[in-house]
Amino acid sequence: MIPPFSGLEFGIVLAMFAIVTVLGFAATRWRRGATLASVEEWGLGGRRFGTWVTWFLLGGDLYTAYTFVAVPALLFGSGAIGFYAVPYTIVAWPLVMFAAARMWSVCHEHGYATAADFVRGRHGSALLALLIAITGIVATLPYIALQLTGIKAIIEAMGIGGDWPLWIAFVVLAAYTFTSGLRAPALIAFVKDILIYVVVLIAIIYIPYKLGGYDVIFHKANTALVPKKATTLLAGSQYLGYSTLALGSALALFLYPHSLTGVLAAKSRNTVKKNMALLPAYSLMLGFIALLGYMALAAKVKPVGGTKKAPDTTTIVPQLFNTEFPHWFAGLAFGAIAIGALVPAAIMAIAAANTFARDIYRPYLRPSASDREEGLVSQIASVVLKLGAVAVIVALKVSFAIELQLIGGVIIIEILPAVVLGLYTRWFHQWALVAGWVVGMGLSVYMLYVTPSKTAAHFGSASFAFSTWGFHTKVTIWTGVVGLVANLIVASALTPLLGRLPRGQDQTSPADYEEAEAPAMALDPPAHPGTV
Amino acid sequence: MTDNGRPRRRRPVVLLLVLPLIAVLVPEFYNFGHPAIGGMPFFYWWQLAWIAGVAVCTGIVYRATRSPR
């Protein structure tokens, strides 16, 4: 079934897209330095973003179209387990607060632009840095594709057939990201977030009012979930899966290249830390958006697209707006979701492109490359990555977009020992970290491989059922946690054994991790002694 | 890093960061339908309320540990 096409909806979405495009190109002139042609300027916005810009940038970066589309789809299809997104984005902030601040300081001090840059400087191992770089790029690709599924859902709900709008949207996005770099998504994020806040606020008041209150919504949702063998509460066997999913996703969040890009673009250590207290505001929005999944169940919304056996449930939120709101408001909501996908897609492509230019192109392909050339390679790589993501999403039909991101999370968490523990200690031997990565990644990928879904035999889900290994239980666990534990065991066991092998040179000193501002200022006496 | 020649110590206030982790990572504490607020089961409003909780905790820790300007 294809929903009827509305000219008004399409016109509003098109107009919003046009405004954002103008902003994207205009961003070239925003707070620019002497030249844009370097990873520092193009890819990190010159490391000059203050509290508010960082808040919008990180918010737009981390709470993506996946928020709007895939989380409610998970509640719609699987009940309470889908609400894991809320504890996930609650625990992320206290967990990463100090690590992110240390990361900002050491990268600012040494001019590192990526996690692989840091690992090369800290552990003195080119191989380990290469593994970190490849892991980051591979994990980011499905995340960019995930953003596309958000736009795709909108296109389907607007009653437009074919993938051509997707191509046009991404070609335009690639063009202004190429010229403006990180400044483009930073500027667009303002528009995107304000729009989304307005849309969500209206939706969570108006829809429950129309459907008869949250009481009715939860009751009807529960009834509708029964045939799917789910409820609005967790089953006992889901506890471990729920907790590990939330904790693991939170740990993985700041290992992604795009998160680090957002952190490193901040102008000071305080800016980073202050944002860990301000970013939960987005989680509140996420929580209510998640509940749209139950509202869709209560309103008996039918997904469009996909196949009969596996309908494309990512379309339920757009469909909910279609059925409950007038066309002009649905158009506004669709535009907000589409822009909400463009912002993170741009930042992710920039971050992965920086990683390619800094950590693969320069060290391995052209050691003599200038900063300018490195910047240009990054710009070109960002275009290739975006178009590659469109090709992937057009070729593969994905019914549960969220599983793509979960697989990315399972992969990226394997760099935690080298990066996050590396921020605190040099105890680990670099070869032990390499071995840990190999074992952890191997185990995780194997576990993903043997996990089927309703529609696929392999790579079906990031929730691993212990019954696969012959245990008589329904308990599942987030695959990434198992891989991470294996990684840590191997790295810890091998480090004492490798004690006699030479260690890589550490370029950093303990003070580098505490730097608050530019080095010259850190030498000044503190203005208010005793406040630290 | 040292301030006024003293080694920097982690303050106990940092322990506030553990509170939200315990509150939302153990479903045994909150996987119930009652008491509901405005029709919203306990499971949902408890976790939503902790969004405000985590903002308060990280906010206090930020103020206590920020670097001097």
Side-chain angles (χ1 to χ4, degrees):
Chain A
M1 186 198 81
I2 293 172
F5 175 77
S6 155
L8 182 62
E9 264 176 23
F10 184 68
I12 289 174
V13 173
L14 204 64
M16 289 166 77
F17 185 72
I19 293 169
V20 159
T21 304
V22 171
L23 272 182
F25 282 110
T28 322
R29 299 164 190 274
W30 183 45
R31 296 183 180 195
R32 71 178 295 174
T35 168
L36 262 182
S38 72
V39 165
E40 272 303 297
E41 280 298 327
W42 179 83
L44 287 178
R47 304 192 200 233
R48 278 197 296 274
F49 292 152
T51 302
W52 283 107
V53 182
T54 302
W55 188 71
F56 277 112
L57 183 69
L58 275 174
D61 191 10
L62 305 176
Y63 297 81
T64 64
Y66 131 80
T67 307
F68 239 124
V69 162
V71 172
L74 203 59
L75 272 92
F76 181 89
S78 314
I81 189 99
F83 209 63
Y84 90 92
V86 170
Y88 153 37
T89 57
I90 285 175
V91 301
W93 313 116
L95 276 177
V96 301
M97 189 174 200
F98 285 95
R102 285 176 79 83
M103 192 67 172
W104 182 90
S105 292
V106 71
C107 291
H108 191 262
E109 182 69 17
H110 291 271
Y112 301 144
T114 65
D117 278 0
F118 163 69
V119 165
R120 188 165 46 242
R122 174 64 152 171
H123 298 287
S125 166
L127 176 65
L128 190 57
L130 181 66
L131 287 179
I132 303 296
I134 293 172
T135 313
I137 294 171
V138 171
T140 305
L141 285 177
Y143 221 159
I144 301 176
L146 181 71
Q147 305 310 319
L148 283 156
T149 61
I151 303 183
K152 208 169 137 91
I154 298 298
I155 295 169
E156 278 174 355
M158 281 199 299
I160 301 168
D163 293 315
W164 59 270
L166 212 54
W167 284 105
I168 293 176
F170 260 55
V171 167
V172 174
L173 175 71
Y176 63 70
T177 313
F178 182 89
T179 60
S180 307
L182 194 63
R183 286 175 172 80
L187 199 56
I188 295 170
F190 280 90
V191 182
K192 171 226 159 191
D193 289 335
I194 292 166
L195 269 173
I196 287 185
Y197 272 114
V198 171
V199 167
V200 169
L201 207 63
I202 293 174
I204 61 169
I205 295 170
Y206 180 73
I207 298 178
Y209 165 77
K210 219 178 148 186
L211 295 176
Y214 279 101
D215 211 355
V216 178
I217 290 170
F218 276 99
H219 187 74
K220 283 190 177 168
N222 207 26
T223 313
L225 281 168
V226 170
K228 300 175 184 180
K229 296 195 179 80
T231 68
T232 52
L233 288 178
L234 294 172
S237 61
Q238 288 179 314
Y239 284 9
L240 184 68
Y242 190 80
S243 306
T244 50
L245 195 55
L247 178 66
S249 305
L251 288 173
L253 183 65
F254 269 82
L255 296 169
Y256 277 106
H258 61 271
S259 318
L260 198 59
T261 299
V263 167
L264 297 186
K267 71 172 181 203
S268 77
R269 181 185 173 96
N270 276 347
T271 305
V272 173
K273 274 170 110 178
K274 197 194 271 181
N275 261 283
M276 298 303 144
L278 295 175
L279 281 163
Y282 280 94
S283 302
L284 201 58
M285 184 171 70
L286 168 65
F288 283 107
I289 291 171
L291 295 179
L292 290 177
Y294 287 163
M295 296 179 200
L297 280 175
K300 298 196 165 57
V301 168
K302 296 269 174 290
V304 294
T307 58
K308 218 173 200 175
K309 208 172 146 204
D312 184 3
T313 52
T314 56
T315 57
I316 54 131
V317 166
Q319 279 297 88
L320 180 68
F321 281 106
N322 248 346
T323 51
E324 300 296 316
F325 285 106
H327 283 310
W328 68 267
F329 187 79
L332 204 65
F334 291 177
I337 298 174
I339 298 168
L342 294 178
V343 170
I347 307 172
M348 287 164 193
I350 289 170
N354 285 348
T355 304
F356 175 76
R358 268 286 174 99
D359 305 303
I360 294 176
Y361 181 79
R362 199 166 189 173
Y364 292 98
L365 301 174
R366 262 183 69 109
S368 63
S370 65
D371 284 355
R372 200 196 151 95
E373 183 180 332
E374 188 180 271
L376 187 65
V377 167
S378 190
Q379 283 173 280
I380 294 167
S382 82
V383 174
V384 174
L385 283 167
K386 277 196 213 78
L387 300 184
V390 185
V392 165
I393 211 74
V394 169
L396 300 170
K397 301 291 172 200
V398 186
S399 60
F400 263 128
I402 206 165
E403 295 295 353
L404 270 184
Q405 187 260 348
L406 292 176
I407 288 172
V410 169
I411 294 172
I412 197 74
I413 205 163
E414 293 301 330
I415 72 172
L416 185 142
V419 178
V420 180
L421 299 185
L423 285 170
Y424 289 94
T425 175
R426 268 274 289 167
W427 181 79
F428 290 102
H429 195 282
Q430 73 267 22
W431 291 111
L433 288 170
V434 170
W437 183 95
V438 170
V439 171
M441 189 68 84
L443 181 62
S444 296
V445 172
Y446 163 75
M447 286 166 73
L448 288 173
Y449 180 79
V450 298
T451 305
S453 72
K454 274 181 219 156
T455 49
H458 303 293
F459 296 104
S461 162
S463 289
F464 182 80
F466 284 109
S467 57
T468 315
W469 284 341
F471 294 99
H472 287 288
T473 171
K474 280 180 169 175
V475 174
T476 61
I477 190 167
W478 187 63
T479 308
V481 170
V482 182
L484 178 63
V485 170
N487 184 335
L488 287 171
I489 291 173
V490 171
S492 308
L494 283 182
T495 292
L497 297 176
L498 294 173
R500 297 194 171 193
L501 288 178
R503 276 184 172 251
Q505 178 102 34
D506 184 3
Q507 294 172 355
T508 66
S509 70
D512 296 345
Y513 296 86
E514 310 280 345
E515 291 298 344
E517 300 285 339
M521 288 175 71
L523 295 172
D524 295 332
H528 307 285
T531 52
V532 171
Chain B
M1 183 175 155
T2 57
D3 272 314
N4 311 330
R6 283 181 293 125
R8 185 153 114 170
R9 294 244 169 94
R10 285 262 182 272
R11 295 176 167 199
V13 69
V14 173
L15 290 176
L16 268 181
L17 296 181
V18 183
L19 220 58
L21 305 189
I22 299 169
V24 300
L25 286 181
V26 188
E28 280 86 348
F29 291 160
Y30 58 80
N31 190 34
F32 311 109
H34 295 283
I37 292 183
M40 190 180 284
F42 183 71
F43 179 82
Y44 295 90
W45 70 254
W46 168 261
Q47 293 182 77
L48 289 174
W50 268 100
I51 296 172
V54 76
V56 170
C57 291
T58 47
I60 292 171
V61 173
Y62 163 69
R63 293 193 78 88
T65 63
R66 67 182 156 184
S67 324
R69 286 180 186 276

